[in-house]
Amino acid sequence: MKLSVPGPVKTDIVLVGAGHAHVQVLQAFGMASPSGLRLTIITDRLQAPYSGMLPGCIAGDYAPDDIHIDIARLARATGTRLIHASATGIDRQNKRILLHDRPPIAYDIASFNIGITPDMASINGAAEHAVPVKPIAGILERLHKAEMAVRRFPRAARLAVIGGGAAGIELALALKDRNNALSQHGVEITLFAGGGLAPLLNTGAQKRAAQALAAAGITVIDRDRAVAIEPGAVICASGRRLAIDVPFVSTHAKLPECLTRTDLPKAANGGIAITQTLQVMGDDSLFAAGDCATMTEDPRPRAGVFAVRQGAVLGRNLLAAARGAALKPYKPQKDYLSILRTGHGRAIASRGRFFAVEGQWVWRLKDRIDQAFMERFKVPELTPDPDDTDMRCGGCAAKVGPVPLAQALARLDPLPPNRDILVGLDAPDDAAVVRWSKNADMITSVDQFRAFIDDAYLFGRIAANHALNDIFAMGGVPHHALALAVLPFGTSAKTSEALFQLLSGARATLDAANTPLVGGH
């Protein structure tokens, strides 16, 4: 087994989550190529959706591929180590990010950008009977399941969006535009806006949003609040019971469980408390950005525009922290441009207390802004050089090819006769077979190939599985294993961590095959 990492690693910067800020960090580090720094991103999803285009995708303006960033391809293009796993917490004392079903990942500096999730506990029955809008990474999958349920109805599907903020308004209008895809009999949509309609927007934008909802035939309930959800119904604070087939919840949000149960400092709204340099309060080795973080000195609403703006500052400050340089503060804009999609080819734009406009040109502006953001992260597919006939992939094809191997073996002198060699170099196979005793033969094999991924744990699993297959191919039962590991040059701590990850992965595969790892080199 061989793990290949270019150059000695002195500092590990680990990004937890593939949010809007973190994808910009990948891009910035890929352009800077800082020596001695290894950037790692941990994410449970390899396709990161851009929230600004999500309503348009739900409505059918965009295909799913149009609104997703390919994290695996971006990581490969920027030289970032990719760990495809779910984070479950953090061990701050030992500087480890805890992961589900695999060993933790060590960090020198870490950053969180993992978004938020609706506080389903605030509405009785929501966790059991409603569809959460966030995290947005899975909303299209959840929407598809809801569609499968309502398409069988011999009537219009009755949908509800609970939450009258900008996200709830856009979702309600997008669901209306998705009408035919949702149900052949159409949809009836109710928007619960107990906290007011678009309370963070100015009155002009609120008025235009109300007009757009009315024009789409969406019922708005803004003087009553949804307090409970039952199968087929939403119960209001007044006791009113509305028949609803599928309720979507887009209300108050909270941190994901992996952060809620940590000892990270929390702000008043429940987010990770950070300073103006985007560092976690009281811990200079930790950073956070996006909806999961709150700048205590200058808090701002949870909106994608801030995560996008934080990306550049976060990238600079992570690099500065690794080099021991001064960090720069992030200064959020007081008034920011907010654009809401209201229908096919139309949108509302608002800024500050008074500016609010609506029309087709606003949609074109929004589309241009969104497309420009996505264009930054498009990475062309790698294509092989047609003039390069040598095999370059990482598995068996990274080894000597069959023709030069056969030529080299043919030039060797024949082995002396040996009755105990049942399968050897005279008739090569997946593994050698020698007589062990009168009643048993022993299959022996050695296997090695260079790493083709930066995830040492996953590569350890792949390498061990590959080695076991040579035994299985000969009809054998594995008895024990030896590991031959080649590691990149580095400090004692980095080498120890790499070897631990590699052997942990190998053990996971070997243990499942009841094959003890007894030694190695």
Side-chain angles (χ1 to χ4, degrees), residues 99-147:
L99 305 178
H100 174 69
D101 202 26
R102 57 172 289 166
I105 293 292
Y107 69 87
D108 297 301
I109 300 170
S111 176
F112 296 93
N113 182 208
I114 62 175
I116 50 178
T117 184
D119 186 4
M120 304 293 275
S122 63
I123 303 175
N124 292 334
E128 297 81 12
H129 308 300
V131 178
V133 174
K134 292 194 175 184
I136 64 172
I139 183 59
L140 293 179
E141 297 173 16
R142 298 190 292 272
L143 177 60
H144 179 69
K145 290 181 180 179
E147 287 178 347

Side-chain angles (χ1 to χ4, degrees), residues 177-216:
D177 285 339
R178 194 182 177 90
N179 194 348
N180 292 333
L182 278 164
S183 171
Q184 61 178 331
H185 300 286
V187 294
E188 298 172 359
I189 299 177
T190 301
L191 177 66
F192 289 85
L197 197 62
L200 297 181
L201 302 183
N202 60 42
T203 54
Q206 292 172 355
K207 179 180 178 181
R208 287 169 171 78
Q211 291 172 342
L213 291 165

Side-chain angles (χ1 to χ4, degrees), residues 1-352:
M1 294 178 286
K2 180 182 178 185
L3 178 64
S4 177
V5 178
V9 176
K10 298 179 181 179
T11 304
D12 270 307
I13 299 177
V14 177
L15 310 179
V16 183
H20 299 350
H22 278 176
V23 294
Q24 295 178 79
V25 173
L26 263 65
Q27 183 188 50
F29 271 63
M31 295 174 66
S33 299
S35 62
L37 301 183
R38 175 168 56 186
L39 186 66
T40 299
I41 186 165
I42 299 172
T43 177
D44 60 349
R45 289 183 177 269
L46 299 180
Q47 297 288 325
Y50 173 46
S51 61
M53 299 173 76
L54 181 61
C57 180
I58 291 174
D61 297 334
Y62 305 112
D65 286 348
D66 296 333
I67 74 162
H68 284 86
I69 298 170
D70 189 326
I71 299 301
R73 189 178 296 178
L74 182 62
R76 183 173 62 243
T78 57
T80 302
R81 180 175 60 162
L82 172 64
I83 304 296
H84 185 202
S86 298
T88 59
I90 181 173
D91 177 357
R92 295 170 69 185
Q93 182 176 355
N94 295 303
K95 305 190 84 168
R96 300 279 192 273
I97 301 298
L98 307 181
L99 305 178
H100 174 69
D101 202 26
R102 57 172 289 166
I105 293 292
Y107 69 87
D108 297 301
I109 300 170
S111 176
F112 296 93
N113 182 208
I114 62 175
I116 50 178
T117 184
D119 186 4
M120 304 293 275
S122 63
I123 303 175
N124 292 334
E128 297 81 12
H129 308 300
V131 178
V133 174
K134 292 194 175 184
I136 64 172
I139 183 59
L140 293 179
E141 297 173 16
R142 298 190 292 272
L143 177 60
H144 179 69
K145 290 181 180 179
E147 287 178 347
M148 293 299 100
V150 301
R151 279 178 182 170
R152 299 190 298 267
F153 291 175
R155 54 168 173 76
R158 297 171 300 209
L159 310 180
V161 176
I162 301 174
I169 294 170
E170 283 193 306
L171 176 59
L173 290 165
L175 290 172
K176 187 66 176 181
D177 285 339
R178 194 182 177 90
N179 194 348
N180 292 333
L182 278 164
S183 171
Q184 61 178 331
H185 300 286
V187 294
E188 298 172 359
I189 299 177
T190 301
L191 177 66
F192 289 85
L197 197 62
L200 297 181
L201 302 183
N202 60 42
T203 54
Q206 292 172 355
K207 179 180 178 181
R208 287 169 171 78
Q211 291 172 342
L213 291 165
I218 296 173
T219 301
V220 177
I221 299 177
D222 59 356
R223 299 186 183 277
D224 210 347
R225 186 168 52 90
V227 295
I229 298 176
E230 299 176 353
V234 173
I235 314 302
C236 299
S238 63
R240 183 181 178 188
R241 188 176 186 275
L242 282 81
I244 298 294
D245 299 314
V246 181
F248 294 83
V249 177
S250 178
T251 55
H252 298 294
K254 64 175 184 177
L255 287 180
E257 282 296 317
C258 65
L259 294 179
T260 301
R261 54 176 174 257
T262 68
D263 62 350
L264 294 172
K266 308 297 192 303
N269 68 350
I272 301 173
I274 60 173
T275 67
Q276 287 190 313
T277 57
L278 305 182
Q279 290 173 296
V280 175
M281 293 188 68
D283 194 333
D284 291 345
S285 67
L286 294 178
F287 291 74
D291 287 348
C292 72
T294 301
M295 205 159 54
T296 56
E297 300 173 36
D298 194 5
R300 285 288 181 270
R302 283 168 168 154
V305 64
F306 295 113
V308 170
R309 294 291 183 90
Q310 287 172 339
V313 177
L314 180 62
R316 287 196 300 266
N317 283 352
L318 286 171
L319 186 58
R323 293 174 171 172
L327 277 61
K328 293 185 178 180
Y330 163 68
K331 299 178 180 178
Q333 60 272 42
K334 296 294 182 182
D335 295 328
Y336 59 95
L337 181 65
S338 178
I339 305 181
L340 274 67
R341 179 197 178 280
T342 57
H344 291 305
R346 298 190 69 83
I348 297 170
S350 65
R351 186 185 181 101

Side-chain angles (χ1 to χ4, degrees), residues 328-476:
K328 293 185 178 180
Y330 163 68
K331 299 178 180 178
Q333 60 272 42
K334 296 294 182 182
D335 295 328
Y336 59 95
L337 181 65
S338 178
I339 305 181
L340 274 67
R341 179 197 178 280
T342 57
H344 291 305
R346 298 190 69 83
I348 297 170
S350 65
R351 186 185 181 101
R353 296 176 57 190
F354 303 108
F355 178 76
V357 293
E358 194 264 347
Q360 294 181 344
W361 71 270
V362 180
W363 164 255
R364 290 193 294 270
L365 173 63
K366 174 178 171 55
D367 180 60
R368 189 158 56 247
I369 293 172
D370 291 339
Q371 297 280 12
F373 180 80
M374 291 297 293
E375 191 66 31
R376 295 166 53 185
F377 308 104
K378 289 184 179 179
V379 179
E381 291 192 40
L382 297 177
T383 55
D385 185 347
D387 298 327
D388 189 354
T389 57
D390 292 337
M391 293 178 289
R392 297 294 182 91
C393 74
C396 284
K399 305 174 185 178
V400 174
V403 173
L405 174 62
Q407 292 173 341
L409 294 177
R411 295 175 61 188
L412 291 176
D413 293 333
L415 287 174
N418 190 324
R419 293 180 305 172
D420 290 333
I421 300 177
L422 305 181
V423 177
L425 292 181
D426 56 336
D429 210 319
D430 290 290
V433 182
V434 299
R435 182 172 290 112
W436 181 250
S437 67
K438 289 183 179 180
N439 301 318
D441 298 331
M442 180 172 65
I443 301 172
T444 61
S445 176
V446 62
D447 203 14
Q448 182 174 10
F449 48 88
R450 66 179 176 84
F452 46 85
I453 53 175
D454 292 330
D455 184 343
Y457 172 83
L458 183 56
F459 180 67
R461 296 208 63 171
I462 293 171
N465 191 65
H466 193 276
L468 287 172
N469 281 340
D470 284 342
I471 303 299
F472 296 140
M474 297 295 290

